[in-house]
Amino acid sequence: MSDDALEAELRRAVELFDPVPSDLLQTAVEAYALRALDAELAELVFDSLSGPSRVRGDRAPRMLTFQGMELTVDLEVTVTAGGGRVVGQLMPPGPAEVEVLGHRPVTLATDELGRFVYDDVPAGPFSLRCHLAGATVVTEWITV
């Protein structure tokens, strides 16, 4: 039996023996739709991991660039023991608030050049929500 067929059979079994209550499913759908109603999803325009990988797998930081509205978010993600470190900059530069969404949500303030640093990012997925001058932009989820 292929993996896809096994997964489909397991899904049918769960739906039959332990279905999700319809009101809970509706609440989840509504919450998902409203999760970032005021924010625009920033498009990933550069990811250093999308190129060819090196044979020896050096531990170089991952470079990411997101663009949304008139805002660019540049990130350098370094994996450390048990988590990571994120160094970022918003362009155009200026003071802003950056929310790190994930296992341990935290809010950071940028400096006047739009820079921010978050040490001790827990291992796992995270996303950034950037608030500045009447605009809010959210990045897709990144994994450390």
Side-chain angles (χ1 to χ4, degrees):
M1 177 180 283
S2 73
D3 289 345
D4 292 335
L6 177 61
E7 182 179 349
E9 190 171 324
L10 290 172
R11 284 184 188 276
R12 283 191 300 273
V14 168
E15 289 172 4
L16 179 65
F17 293 109
D18 190 20
V20 176
S22 61
D23 58 333
L24 181 61
L25 182 60
Q26 183 62 34
T27 301
V29 169
E30 290 170 357
Y32 183 76
L34 295 175
R35 75 192 185 290
L37 193 58
D38 63 335
E40 177 181 328
L41 183 63
E43 177 185 2
L44 179 64
V45 294
F46 175 76
D47 184 349
S48 62
L49 290 183
S50 64
S53 61
R54 298 192 174 156
V55 174
R56 297 187 187 237
D58 66 342
R59 303 294 271 172
R62 181 179 180 187
M63 308 300 288
L64 300 151
T65 301
F66 295 92
Q67 286 184 337
M69 300 173 90
E70 296 176 8
L71 176 69
T72 300
V73 181
D74 289 316
L75 300 176
E76 177 181 296
V77 180
T78 306
V79 177
T80 60
R85 179 176 198 244
V86 175
V87 177
Q89 183 172 18
L90 305 180
M91 296 299 285
E97 184 178 273
V98 177
E99 290 180 71
V100 182
L101 310 171
H103 295 300
R104 274 186 282 160
V106 66
T107 302
L108 308 169
T110 65
D111 64 11
E112 62 279 352
L113 297 176
R115 300 175 300 191
F116 60 94
V117 176
Y118 181 32
D119 290 311
D120 301 323
V121 177
F126 73 94
S127 175
L128 301 177
R129 180 176 295 168
C130 307
H131 305 278
L132 69 150
T136 302
V137 173
V138 178
T139 68
E140 66 182 57
W141 291 85
I142 307 157
T143 302
V144 173

